[in-house]
Amino acid sequence: MKNKTYWIFAILTISIISIAYGYTKLIVPKQKLTAMDCAETPNADSASLFKPTIENKNKPTGKTPKGMVWIPGGEFSMGSNVEDESLCSIKGVTKDAAPIHRVYVDGYYMDKTEVTNDQFEAFVKATGYVTLAEKVPTHEEYPDAPLENLIAGSAVFTPTSAKVDLNNYMQWWTYVKGADWRHPEGAGSSIKGRGNYPVVQVSYADAAAYAKWAGKRLPTEAEWEFAARGGKTGELYAWGNTLKPKGKFQANIYQGHFPIEKGDTGEDGYIGIAPTAQFEPNGYGLYDIGGNVWEWTNDWYTADYYANLSESGKVIKNPQGPDKSHDPAEPDLPKKVQRGGSFLCTDQYCTRYMVGTRGKGDYQSPANHIGFRCVK
């Protein structure tokens, strides 16, 4: 390393950089990937393995909690038969979302939107809670790090000055001093006037703490996908099979050349993060279930979890995820499943706004494109 500061930033950032993309050397052969124009529809198996969604008919009798909608639950086909990570055909990375398998979930309420800055601020004011990004890393956690480099902060997307090899994501992520939920891009940034934006820079534990305070919990991965599909069967996106119905974007995602400075053209109406509920909801009344910010789920991540579930050939009822995490690419780094994609997801690199695909991230690593929503 060139200097100590870079070294400690690399240590503190390396787990964060793995967030959500699922790009693993064990699954994908190394190839040089650069920004390009791509087809709108990714490759998928010609013979669909999806079977009809069967919704529960029972409905709760009480009043719907404020800001939530009822998700009936039922039986559905979970997963993805898309062959590629992105519309540019990065082969094989979506294998962790296969095979498609039948799952049943009970009914539940779910937040209409991702938890906002205003909502999270109310939690912090009521409890005095301090998020992970606001805490100074300790010498016990990083015994080999120079003390002067143990600083509070988090990962922030940092555009590059020119087109780059997309295999090296370290080029567009930086560990930034002072980056936290109040200052998503670092000490000079603010959420003033952004109370209705999704809260970001929250770790899994931060999200779970908020959920507990609110009398809710984080969704399982199965609950999240059932809700995201909105009662439909096997569609590519939460809004259908076409990225832009009638030529109109349905989610806040990245258009243009990724990840260069001013590369996002904002054709969907937004460059960077957007306020909640700016696009049409899905069939269950959920906003931003694709794009804007990634969402934590309660499940530990393993690459072969779907394969293990499908072995019995039976309908899996209310799956809670594996007992522990294992990512073959980073076996010593415990990860939780994240879903939905973010404003950084692009047809050139990470098309994880495709509803059946999966993300993953170190459960202790916040970033400025990760938030959450709750269920109860």
Side-chain angles (χ1 to χ4, degrees):
M1 294 298 179
K2 293 182 179 180
N3 56 58
K4 293 180 180 178
T5 300
Y6 180 84
W7 180 83
I8 186 60
F9 282 5
I11 287 179
L12 295 175
T13 305
I14 191 167
S15 60
I16 300 171
I17 299 309
S18 70
I19 284 170
Y21 296 105
Y23 200 107
T24 69
K25 293 183 290 184
L26 297 182
I27 299 176
V28 183
K30 184 173 176 61
Q31 53 184 302
K32 187 172 182 179
L33 304 165
T34 55
M36 63 186 80
D37 294 327
C38 308
E40 182 176 301
T41 304
N43 295 328
D45 294 337
S46 57
S48 176
L49 299 176
F50 290 96
K51 298 178 182 178
T53 295
I54 305 170
E55 296 178 337
N56 291 331
K57 301 301 182 183
N58 58 309
K59 296 182 179 180
T61 56
K63 186 177 179 181
T64 300
K66 183 179 179 180
M68 305 188 85
V69 293
W70 176 247
I71 309 299
E75 185 180 316
F76 75 114
S77 292
M78 183 174 178
S80 175
N81 61 342
V82 174
E83 296 177 352
D84 312 328
E85 153 69 6
S86 77
L87 305 186
C88 283
S89 300
I90 303 176
K91 297 291 184 182
V93 189
T94 52
K95 285 183 178 179
D96 65 355
I100 295 165
H101 55 289
R102 292 295 277 181
V103 171
Y104 169 88
V105 293
D106 292 325
Y108 50 97
Y109 291 103
M110 191 175 211
D111 290 340
K112 290 181 181 179
T113 71
E114 294 139 344
V115 172
T116 65
N117 287 319
D118 277 349
Q119 291 171 319
F120 199 79
E121 183 176 33
F123 158 63
V124 170
K125 286 182 176 179
T127 63
Y129 186 84
V130 178
T131 63
L132 180 66
E134 297 172 278
K135 299 176 181 178
V136 177
T138 66
H139 180 65
E140 288 72 25
E141 293 173 302
Y142 301 96
D144 298 325
L147 293 178
E148 65 269 21
N149 288 334
L150 294 176
I151 57 176
S154 190
V156 174
F157 172 70
T158 307
T160 60
S161 60
K163 292 182 181 180
V164 294
D165 183 345
L166 297 183
N167 280 303
N168 184 6
Y169 40 65
M170 291 288 285
Q171 297 172 103
W172 58 84
W173 284 102
T174 305
Y175 187 88
V176 175
K177 178 182 179 180
D180 57 43
W181 73 273
R182 292 186 179 92
H183 313 95
E185 286 82 44
S189 63
S190 171
I191 59 170
K192 185 177 181 180
R194 292 192 167 196
N196 64 334
Y197 281 62
V199 65
V200 293
Q201 296 292 14
V202 287
S203 69
Y204 166 80
D206 299 332
Y210 171 91
K212 183 177 180 180
W213 171 79
K216 304 176 184 180
R217 59 179 174 83
L218 296 180
T220 65
E221 185 178 13
E223 288 173 331
W224 193 98
E225 185 170 326
F226 183 93
R229 292 194 176 279
K232 298 180 180 180
T233 298
E235 295 195 341
L236 191 59
Y237 308 108
W239 53 87
N241 284 317
T242 303
L243 181 63
K244 296 186 293 181
K246 299 181 180 179
K248 185 178 180 181
F249 281 99
Q250 302 298 305
N252 179 27
I253 55 179
Y254 192 108
Q255 301 90 40
H257 293 290
F258 180 85
I260 67 173
E261 188 174 0
K262 297 182 180 179
D264 187 352
T265 59
E267 294 173 47
D268 56 26
Y270 299 93
I271 295 175
I273 195 170
T276 60
Q278 300 303 298
F279 299 86
E280 292 297 316
N282 78 345
Y284 288 147
L286 299 169
Y287 294 90
D288 305 312
I289 203 72
N292 213 19
V293 298
W294 285 95
E295 299 179 13
W296 289 109
T297 75
N298 196 55
D299 290 24
W300 289 111
Y301 173 84
T302 61
D304 59 356
Y305 183 55
Y306 287 14
N308 292 335
L309 286 181
S310 66
E311 286 181 353
S312 70
K314 299 178 180 179
V315 176
I316 308 301
K317 294 188 176 181
N318 295 312
Q320 302 296 304
D323 294 334
K324 59 183 179 179
S325 170
H326 179 73
D327 181 358
E330 296 175 301
D332 297 325
L333 195 63
K335 297 179 181 181
K336 289 283 186 175
V337 175
Q338 300 161 335
R339 284 302 202 104
S342 79
F343 63 87
L344 295 177
C345 279
T346 163
D347 58 10
Q348 297 160 19
Y349 183 66
C350 165
T351 317
R352 298 301 180 92
Y353 45 82
M354 293 187 294
V355 71
T357 56
R358 309 172 76 199
K360 58 184 178 179
D362 172 17
Y363 77 111
Q364 298 188 93
S365 293
N368 71 316
H369 67 336
I370 301 174
F372 67 102
R373 76 178 75 211
C374 304
V375 299
K376 69 180 299 183

